[in-house]
Amino acid sequence: MKFLHSLLCIGFLLLSVHNVAAQTNEWTVEDVINQARASSLTFSPDGNAMVWVKSQPDKEKDASQSDLYLTHLDKRENGDYKTVQLTRGNESDYSPLFSTDGETIYFLSSRDEGKKLWAMSTLGGEPYEVHEFETGISNIQWMGKQNLAFESNEGKTLYEQKYEEMKDNTVVVEDTAHFKASRIYSFDLQEKDIQRLTDNEYPVGEYEVSEDGQWMVTSHIMSPSYAADANPKPNYYLWNLEDGTKQQILKSGYQTPGNFEFTADGNGFYFVSVISSDPEWNGAGKSVLHYYSVKNNSVSDVPIDWEWGLGGGFDVFGNDVMVSLANGPTRKLAYLEKNGTNWRKKSVDAGDMDEHVTVTAVGEDHRKLVYVYSTASLPPQYRLAELNEKRRSVEIPEGNEVIKLNEYLDKKKKAKTEVVRWTGAMDEEVNGILYYPHDYEEGKKYPLVVTIHGGPSGVDLDQWNESWTDFNNIMAQKGAFVLQPNYHGSGNHGQEFVESIKGHYYEYELPDVVSGVEMLVDQGKVDPDSMGVKGWSNGAIITTMLTVKHPDMFKVAAPGAGDVNWTSDYGTCSFGVSFDQSYFGGAPWDDTNGKIFNETYVQKSPLFEMEKIKTPTIIFHGSEDRAVPRDQGWEYYRALQQIDQAPVRFLWFPGQPHGLQKITHQTRKMKEEIRWFDKYLFGTYKKENEAFKKESPIADLLTKDKAQTDTGLFGVMKDGVLIPETVSMKKDSTAIGRFEVTNAQYAAFDDNYSYADVRANYPVTGISKENAEQYIQWLNNQTNEKYRLPNAEEAESLNKQARKVATSENTLNYWAGYDITYDDVAEFRKKLDELDHSMLKEVGSYKAVKVGEAEVYDLGGNAAEWHSGSTQNNTYGYSAVSYVDERSETPQTSIRYTGFRVIKE
């Protein structure tokens, strides 16, 4: 898919305790952060395989890690397509390409400073180096059958070397004399020969090579400050790679042309441009599709016949093209069949998936494809299908899931969602995505969290959207509605809608949001006294102004990376000139009477109205943000801190750009924001004792104190009877006995069982497995609940936990007083025969271990424990007479030192 906007399908694997704890359906910060995503999906030439990149957070790297995977489309294992991981390690691998015979995969990697081309056989084996490129290699594409095109530069100039030798790291902001070009080169895979293909003076912005390797189109950035002032515009060239000639194309009439893709016959390429009322500033508008004929050197407007233009880009199917059309909170697909210089539009039938399908890969047969099906309530499903072309339509069947990611989310409860519509500013319809509370009951009023997208020409779609900025299911889990409004100025709604706020910034967006909130209040869904607002980038800008203009509406606000002073934004934002010129109609100094400055740059800057804010506000910024510089956050914070009318907290993340990259920073941002909402909206915040460490001797002692009755016995009283305490291994899951069953607990069942008073809290031992099962049956009858012994699988998992701590608990190794060896054990045991009393200790004598989320004692020693399996050894764990040896799976014990603990369903 040639995307107009990048889509984030963030993702990850959940760590759990195998065979012990049932997975909880409760959302955590880690569930959101740790999502994996698939990208760069590429079919093999024969269509029987697909290589792709899996990206997921790496805790050790504190960043995203990407590896290559190969999926065999002609092989199945347990009903799924056979998938193998091709690369792994500490470096990221990306940009995979199949060789023309399908037997080799070429790719790039961050290893060795990213200067090498790598390859590996599709049959397996280690990746190997193909060639090292001294000046780097990026953006590889096929050109013909044995040559790769790539982007690089010519190396360091003498000017650069001089300052490098001086260790001078001065940043020269504007230096057109030393504006360094990147160029396109070719690499012959057989001869290992490199040829320069372009002689451009300015850097390559984008390039695309035709399938046969004859033609190439390039764009070139003409100024280091292009992003800021939108001028001068890029130049575009068409290159004939056979004879080495070039011609400048698209000289005028097109705003930001790009997303080039050649047709299969090589006779031309499709591209996208934007139509807006202020192209001189690259203003927001609607996207349209064009076709450039190489033969005629002419451009045709592709008749998509859709007023709102493109929404999600396009995909080329041979010479035809499938387009994603802007449709407000969704996208519609259409197929345009090319016939000479004309196109015939066909509808695309995706059945129940309609308006929720995004094409991600197209096979070389131009019929096989992989698409993503997703809704706001459904995580992305990657499906493989064959395009079924009919006379008037094209059908995308349901297909089969070809890539399965983030399966841990299957068990998570997901909010019910729907597209909602209401009347906003200028009496025009606006829409948004509404997430319901997880345990919603009709007729009950709930808190509301308004989450506002950025842009402002971004859009909230009815598709999966869980990320470190928008964690809607966590808020829904807390019992809140979440509204994501598509206010005036949002994209995907046509040119008039996206441009409506130019010259009217804030004037329509705020009424849109407020009207949506009032609609939910009027419907009886939302408690008007329990509402919060948050957003990132332009979402933060709107959030801030809402707290200025409606100081009593929201109980809490969380703006991230938002502006408060438009005068300073003009000069310090990397695109401040183009943005402010487009939306505000000029520079601060443009008019002689100061109207623009006074009525726009001052009156529309929240900084000058901060005394109105009553909302507790937490502010986030990245220190290296050039889209909304961090100093905007300082101005924001300083004003609220000095006015002292609302609680304020300000966090900035070192080294981070506009979008946070580090996993630790994404996690911290989420946790801080959740705490802020817990405190000021949900009322569930409990201040932590910051001097108290959860893993400490005092914490262990406090846990054991809470586990004792008033008489000092471990356990809990139920209907006057002492029974074992159990703790859940995950929320709402199976529970396990915190301690082994004690003498005092067992005596409540067996009137004939006796013990010394001082041993009331010692584990009951010396009883048979049958006795233990009889106790559990009595316990079930006594409590009307279901208890049991651990089963064989649970015992195996518990045994692994026990092995980790056994050497430091009550085992033979402890009693020996030295690092006893296997050869000493037999002789040492003779000394045990001289003992008259038990070697047992009171339950909980050693530090607890984690089993899921439960803190459990005595797994590593004291008494071995019965399980319900029918294996040869019916016990697990270690006892005071067990020798701990990592080379022996089965610890030795005796019935004298065997007890049990309970599992509660």
Side-chain angles (χ1 to χ4, degrees):
M1 170 66 75
K2 289 287 184 177
F3 288 102
L4 304 182
H5 306 284
S6 60
L7 300 175
L8 187 61
C9 301
I10 323 180
F12 269 69
L13 301 175
L14 178 69
L15 299 177
S16 60
V17 179
H18 177 61
N19 285 334
V20 177
Q23 195 177 62
T24 178
N25 64 1
E26 184 172 337
W27 284 84
T28 66
V29 168
E30 288 70 26
D31 290 332
V32 175
I33 295 291
N34 290 343
Q35 293 173 88
R37 64 184 181 93
S39 62
S40 302
L41 282 68
T42 305
F43 281 100
S44 61
D46 62 7
N48 290 330
M50 183 175 64
V51 64
W52 52 283
V53 176
K54 180 180 179 180
S55 302
Q56 57 188 11
D58 185 300
K59 189 174 181 180
E60 291 186 6
K61 289 174 60 176
D62 199 11
S64 181
Q65 162 78 27
S66 63
D67 295 295
L68 305 187
Y69 285 74
L70 180 66
T71 297
H72 296 274
L73 305 179
D74 56 353
K75 298 178 183 178
R76 296 286 191 110
E77 285 185 349
N78 300 321
D80 294 331
Y81 291 100
K82 182 178 180 180
T83 297
V84 293
Q85 184 174 352
L86 298 179
T87 64
R88 63 187 76 237
N90 295 325
E91 302 295 337
S92 286
D93 302 310
Y94 49 91
S95 300
L97 293 175
F98 277 101
S99 61
T100 52
D101 60 11
E103 295 181 358
T104 305
I105 295 171
Y106 296 98
F107 64 95
L108 302 180
S109 175
S110 63
R111 63 188 90 184
D112 296 335
E113 299 180 339
K115 292 184 176 182
K116 294 180 179 179
L117 175 68
W118 297 84
M120 68 184 306
S121 170
T122 55
L123 299 178
E126 291 293 321
Y128 57 90
E129 176 188 330
V130 177
H131 190 77
E132 182 170 359
F133 299 79
E134 185 177 345
T135 57
I137 177 174
S138 64
N139 199 1
I140 57 175
Q141 299 180 32
W142 279 111
M143 49 176 299
K145 295 187 179 296
Q146 75 176 50
N147 290 309
L148 284 175
F150 68 94
E151 185 176 349
S152 188
N153 58 63
E154 305 292 339
K156 294 176 181 176
T157 64
L158 181 61
Y159 175 85
E160 291 174 308
Q161 293 178 42
K162 179 181 69 173
Y163 284 105
E164 187 176 71
E165 290 172 2
M166 295 168 59
K167 297 183 179 180
D168 185 340
N169 63 353
T170 301
V171 176
V172 181
V173 175
E174 184 76 39
D175 187 359
T176 54
H178 298 96
F179 190 31
K180 190 169 184 176
S182 60
R183 298 189 174 96
I184 307 302
Y185 305 79
S186 71
F187 176 68
D188 188 315
L189 288 163
Q190 292 184 3
E191 302 297 330
K192 304 294 189 291
D193 181 49
I194 299 174
Q195 296 291 326
R196 184 186 299 106
L197 297 179
T198 65
D199 57 357
N200 49 289
E201 183 180 354
Y202 296 96
V204 173
E206 179 184 354
Y207 86 98
E208 186 77 9
V209 181
S210 65
E211 201 170 298
D212 59 11
Q214 179 180 356
W215 301 99
M216 176 171 66
V217 59
T218 60
S219 67
H220 301 272
I221 307 303
M222 305 299 291
S223 165
S225 60
Y226 170 69
D229 58 24
N231 287 297
K233 306 299 183 188
N235 284 343
Y236 301 87
Y237 291 91
L238 179 67
W239 306 73
N240 187 329
L241 299 179
E242 287 189 353
D243 61 21
T245 61
K246 68 177 180 181
Q247 60 175 314
Q248 188 173 354
I249 61 174
L250 309 179
K251 294 180 181 180
S252 63
Y254 301 96
Q255 179 181 322
T256 59
N259 300 80
F260 309 111
E261 186 166 356
F262 279 91
T263 53
D265 61 16
N267 290 335
F269 59 85
Y270 292 98
F271 69 96
V272 172
S273 75
V274 173
I275 297 176
S276 77
S277 60
D278 52 355
E280 67 273 26
W281 303 115
N282 292 342
K286 75 172 181 178
S287 296
V288 293
L289 184 64
H290 312 278
Y291 175 80
Y292 186 96
S293 171
V294 172
K295 180 180 178 180
N296 300 322
N297 292 323
S298 62
V299 178
S300 301
D301 296 336
V302 180
I304 62 175
D305 190 26
W306 193 256
E307 183 182 357
W308 285 0
L310 294 178
F314 66 91
D315 293 274
V316 174
F317 285 75
N319 298 325
D320 304 336
V321 61
M322 186 181 289
V323 293
S324 178
L325 303 173
N327 196 44
T330 63
R331 292 180 174 135
K332 289 182 67 70
L333 294 177
Y335 190 88
L336 292 130
E337 184 180 68
K338 190 175 187 298
N339 184 12
T341 59
N342 298 311
W343 286 267
R344 182 166 67 124
K345 184 178 178 180
K346 294 182 176 183
S347 62
V348 176
D349 180 9
D352 294 338
M353 303 179 296
D354 191 38
E355 300 186 17
H356 296 92
V357 168
T358 303
V359 177
T360 60
V362 180
E364 292 193 12
D365 63 356
H366 311 140
R367 284 295 170 266
K368 187 172 287 186
L369 73 157
V370 173
Y371 63 87
V372 173
Y373 169 52
S374 172
T375 70
S377 299
L378 177 70
Q381 294 182 354
Y382 295 81
R383 294 186 169 273
L384 175 70
E386 292 273 352
L387 205 62
N388 183 13
E389 189 169 357
K390 299 180 180 180
R391 185 170 178 271
R392 297 180 181 276
S393 66
V394 172
E395 182 182 53
I396 298 180
E398 185 176 337
N400 299 307
E401 279 197 79
V402 65
I403 296 174
K404 293 185 177 181
L405 298 177
N406 309 316
E407 292 183 86
Y408 69 91
L409 294 179
D410 293 345
K411 295 184 179 180
K412 299 292 176 185
K413 192 167 187 177
K414 300 171 185 77
K416 169 191 170 184
T417 60
E418 64 177 332
V419 174
V420 290
R421 303 176 190 274
W422 65 93
T423 301
M426 299 183 289
D427 290 327
E428 293 180 347
E429 181 182 89
V430 293
N431 61 67
I433 312 299
L434 182 65
Y435 293 73
Y436 280 69
H438 278 186
D439 298 317
Y440 173 70
E441 297 177 16
E442 191 171 353
K444 183 178 177 181
K445 293 182 180 180
Y446 292 87
L448 172 67
V449 176
V450 181
T451 300
I452 306 175
H453 69 70
S457 59
V459 62
D460 282 313
L461 298 173
D462 186 10
Q463 68 181 24
W464 189 250
N465 183 31
E466 293 292 328
S467 69
W468 59 269
T469 58
D470 301 343
F471 35 93
N472 303 318
N473 269 289
I474 287 183
M475 293 301 188
Q477 177 176 273
K478 291 178 175 292
F481 277 99
V482 178
L483 177 65
Q484 294 191 294
N486 287 317
Y487 49 85
H488 277 83
S490 299
N492 220 52
H493 290 73
Q495 183 178 355
E496 183 178 347
F497 194 84
V498 76
E499 290 201 290
S500 61
I501 63 172
K502 292 179 181 179
H504 300 278
Y505 207 79
Y506 294 121
E507 296 170 28
Y508 303 149
E509 306 98 294
L510 267 63
D512 287 345
V513 175
V514 171
S515 295
V517 169
E518 291 174 343
M519 172 192 68
L520 297 175
V521 171
D522 292 343
Q523 290 175 352
K525 290 184 170 73
V526 166
D527 179 356
D529 295 323
S530 186
M531 301 191 299
V533 60
K534 62 191 283 288
W536 194 265
S537 192
N538 197 75
I541 292 169
I542 302 301
T543 292
T544 301
M545 191 58 94
L546 281 167
T547 64
V548 169
K549 300 299 184 182
H550 302 275
D552 298 313
M553 179 171 283
F554 298 102
K555 302 301 180 186
V556 61
D563 288 280
V564 294
N565 185 347
W566 291 114
T567 304
S568 57
D569 173 84
Y570 188 95
T572 58
C573 168
S574 62
F575 50 84
V577 175
S578 59
F579 185 95
D580 295 349
Q581 289 277 4
S582 179
Y583 286 104
F584 298 152
W589 52 81
D590 266 355
D591 53 344
T592 55
N593 61 10
K595 182 178 180 182
I596 288 180
F597 177 74
N598 290 320
E599 295 186 8
T600 299
Y601 282 91
V602 174
Q603 290 187 23
K604 292 196 173 183
S605 291
L607 181 67
F608 304 109
E609 296 185 85
M610 288 289 173
E611 77 283 354
K612 296 178 181 178
I613 293 178
K614 303 177 184 178
T615 309
T617 303
I618 187 167
I619 304 165
F620 302 103
H621 271 272
S623 71
E624 303 305 310
D625 191 345
R626 291 289 293 117
V628 182
R630 180 196 61 188
D631 286 356
Q632 292 284 332
W634 273 116
E635 293 185 56
Y636 196 171
Y637 166 74
R638 183 63 68 222
L640 292 184
Q641 182 245 2
Q642 287 296 299
I643 294 168
D644 196 22
Q645 190 166 267
V648 61
R649 183 167 169 80
F650 177 30
L651 291 85
W652 56 268
F653 304 98
Q656 294 299 281
H658 193 56
L660 305 182
Q661 303 296 311
K662 287 190 174 184
I663 309 307
T664 49
H665 290 154
Q666 293 175 358
T667 301
R668 179 71 180 270
K669 183 265 181 187
M670 284 185 66
K671 290 185 175 180
E672 289 276 356
E673 191 170 296
I674 289 168
R675 277 195 290 267
W676 199 255
F677 272 71
D678 283 345
K679 183 173 184 178
Y680 293 106
L681 182 65
F682 299 114
T684 57
Y685 172 73
K686 294 181 180 178
K687 181 175 172 56
E688 294 183 7
N689 186 322
E690 295 179 356
F692 173 66
K693 185 178 179 181
K694 291 182 179 179
E695 293 81 25
S696 62
I698 186 63
D700 200 46
L701 184 59
L702 286 168
T703 299
K704 285 187 282 189
D705 276 354
K706 292 177 182 177
Q708 290 179 299
T709 65
D710 293 340
T711 58
L713 298 175
F714 284 108
V716 295
M717 301 299 295
K718 185 174 178 65
D719 298 330
V721 177
L722 183 68
I723 65 171
E725 179 199 10
T726 59
V727 283
S728 294
M729 294 177 277
K730 293 268 186 173
K731 186 176 180 181
D732 301 325
S733 77
T734 302
I736 187 171
R738 189 187 294 277
F739 307 99
E740 297 152 317
V741 174
T742 65
N743 285 322
Q745 292 165 8
Y746 188 79
F749 150 70
D750 186 352
D751 293 336
N752 297 320
Y753 183 77
S754 61
Y755 59 90
D757 289 344
V758 294
R759 292 182 176 268
N761 285 329
Y762 282 58
V764 60
T765 56
I767 63 169
S768 66
K769 180 179 176 181
E770 181 181 9
N771 293 146
E773 289 174 336
Q774 290 171 350
Y775 170 83
I776 286 176
Q777 183 58 50
W778 168 84
L779 186 61
N780 289 338
N781 295 334
Q782 185 73 31
T783 62
N784 289 320
E785 295 178 303
K786 186 177 180 181
Y787 292 82
R788 59 176 174 81
L789 291 175
N791 59 40
E793 290 182 328
E794 291 166 335
E796 180 183 355
S797 181
L798 291 168
N799 211 49
K800 291 178 181 178
Q801 293 290 94
R803 182 179 292 276
K804 296 176 183 178
V805 294
T807 54
S808 61
E809 292 198 10
N810 186 15
T811 61
L812 204 62
N813 304 57
Y814 162 77
W815 289 107
Y818 67 96
D819 293 334
I820 190 171
T821 67
Y822 181 76
D823 293 325
D824 289 329
V825 169
E827 187 69 17
F828 182 74
R829 286 188 187 278
K830 294 177 182 179
K831 275 293 179 183
L832 302 184
D833 296 336
E834 301 176 14
L835 286 173
D836 292 329
H837 59 272
S838 171
M839 297 161 62
L840 292 172
K841 294 188 175 184
E842 186 175 74
V843 297
S845 295
Y846 295 90
K847 188 176 179 179
V849 298
K850 283 280 191 178
V851 177
E853 295 178 0
E855 291 188 336
V856 176
Y857 292 81
D858 305 314
L859 281 181
N862 218 20
E865 300 171 16
W866 294 113
H867 66 77
S868 63
S870 57
T871 58
Q872 184 176 0
N873 181 15
N874 282 270
T875 66
Y876 65 91
Y878 296 81
S879 75
V881 294
S882 297
Y883 169 60
V884 182
D885 180 9
E886 63 181 13
R887 303 175 188 179
S888 175
E889 288 294 327
T890 306
Q892 292 181 327
T893 189
S894 67
I895 193 170
R896 182 185 177 191
Y897 287 94
T898 299
F900 67 103
R901 83 175 64 226
V902 299
I903 297 288
K904 180 182 177 183
E905 297 286 3

